[in-house]
Amino acid sequence: MIVSGIEGSSFLDYPGMLSCVLFTQGCSYDCFYCHNRALIEYKNGVIGYQEIESFLKKRVGFLQAVVISGGEPTLHGSLPLYFSLAKSLGYLTKLDTNGSRPKVLLELLEAGLLDYVALDVKVPWARYREIAGKGADPANVQRCVSLLQEYQVMHPSFHWEVRTTLAPTLGEADLLEIAGMLPEVNRWVLNFYRTPKDYKKEDGMRINQPALIEREVDCMQERLLLLQPNLKRVR
Ligand code: SF4
């Protein structure tokens, strides 16, 4: 696995837990508003397995959880190895994924390597490629939703959430559609948009378009809560 960064401690990435975050290099999507654009392209890894092993061993008893984020972690064949390492040291584990590789998600779930999954659902299914690039297949994300839902029924201590960034071009009708196309989820996190520093020239127009703000979400919140009662807003 190509790990290009570590966040040493965070209270934001695993609800209720102090975690570290390993950032993997490479992504299967090309979202126009990506804040991790430097992670999209494949590059040589800068942090090796042994360094990560030693980092995690030293923090047993201090950190409670290990989050693997990206980029897109499921692109890396050795992902199970890193989750196994975290589990063997007694950590809770969380995967952040864009939902592009349901087969890998299923393997990780079946191996009992995940305690929490955060799945991006970026837009209504019909708009997926417009927002996340040509490589984005919404059928894969839908499959991930079904897998997570089924797995949780069998494993009540397992948690998952859906995350949606309130990117430019995403309006009230889109949010209502997303809320309605998903099963009722434990936690639906709406992230308010921040303009990224790096973006492709051709995306300049839409990057700088206005996105939904708090006051606008206040106005639609009641309707969203009817469909998804576990809505959370993150600045
Ligand atoms: S899925 Fe995430 S990391 Fe990948 S391009 Fe989209 S926003 Fe960036």
Side-chain angles (χ1 to χ4, degrees):
M1 187 163 85
I2 305 173
V3 177
S4 51
I6 301 181
E7 170 80 56
S9 63
S10 161
F11 265 122
L12 300 176
D13 290 274
Y14 194 125
M17 301 288 164
L18 183 61
S19 68
C20 64
V21 186
L22 309 183
F23 293 96
T24 63
Q25 193 76 37
C27 188
S28 43
Y29 286 1
D30 185 14
C31 306
F32 73 90
Y33 57 82
C34 182
H35 271 269
N36 293 333
R37 192 145 284 281
L39 294 178
I40 293 181
E41 299 292 328
Y42 275 100
K43 290 179 195 160
N44 289 328
V46 290
I47 306 171
Y49 179 85
Q50 282 173 348
E51 197 177 331
I52 288 169
E53 185 179 33
S54 142
F55 172 88
L56 293 180
K57 279 184 173 167
K58 279 188 203 145
R59 284 157 182 82
V60 169
F62 170 62
L63 297 175
Q64 295 156 298
V66 175
V67 177
I68 304 189
S69 189
E72 176 49 36
T74 61
L75 296 176
H76 300 271
S78 57
L79 181 61
L81 184 70
Y82 285 77
F83 277 128
S84 298
L85 168 66
K87 280 272 171 209
S88 72
L89 295 171
Y91 291 108
L92 292 167
T93 53
K94 174 171 175 272
L95 169 70
D96 291 347
T97 179
N98 63 19
S100 58
R101 310 206 63 199
K103 192 167 169 284
V104 176
L105 175 63
L106 179 61
E107 285 164 8
L108 292 168
L109 291 170
E110 284 180 337
L113 291 175
L114 299 177
D115 297 296
Y116 202 119
V117 172
L119 173 70
D120 293 345
V121 174
K122 294 175 181 294
V123 271
W125 305 131
R127 294 191 58 200
Y128 240 81
R129 289 190 174 92
E130 174 199 333
I131 298 296
K134 288 194 287 281
D137 182 353
N140 288 330
V141 189
Q142 285 173 273
R143 176 78 184 122
C144 287
V145 170
S146 303
L147 287 174
L148 292 167
Q149 198 185 10
E150 286 159 20
Y151 188 78
Q152 192 180 32
V153 171
M154 312 286 287
H155 303 84
S157 64
F158 171 77
H159 296 283
W160 64 291
E161 68 179 40
V162 165
R163 305 181 303 188
T164 302
T165 297
L166 300 175
T169 81
L170 201 71
E172 177 176 354
D174 295 302
L175 284 187
L176 285 166
E177 193 173 338
I178 295 171
M181 74 192 192
L182 295 171
E184 188 181 310
V185 294
N186 292 156
R187 203 170 126 96
W188 181 30
V189 180
L190 299 183
N191 290 303
F192 285 92
Y193 178 71
R194 287 172 292 118
T195 310
K197 286 195 187 95
D198 298 329
Y199 52 85
K200 290 187 291 182
K201 242 190 195 161
E202 63 267 33
D203 289 326
M205 287 276 280
R206 52 181 179 169
I207 281 287
N208 290 304
Q209 275 181 34
L212 288 170
I213 56 171
E214 298 240 28
R215 192 163 31 82
E216 291 169 312
V217 177
D218 287 344
C219 293
M220 64 184 83
Q221 180 143 316
E222 229 168 84
R223 271 158 289 151
L224 293 172
L225 285 170
L226 286 176
L227 296 162
Q228 292 293 340
N230 305 311
L231 174 69
K232 304 275 176 247
R233 295 153 57 155
V234 175
R235 279 222 63 82

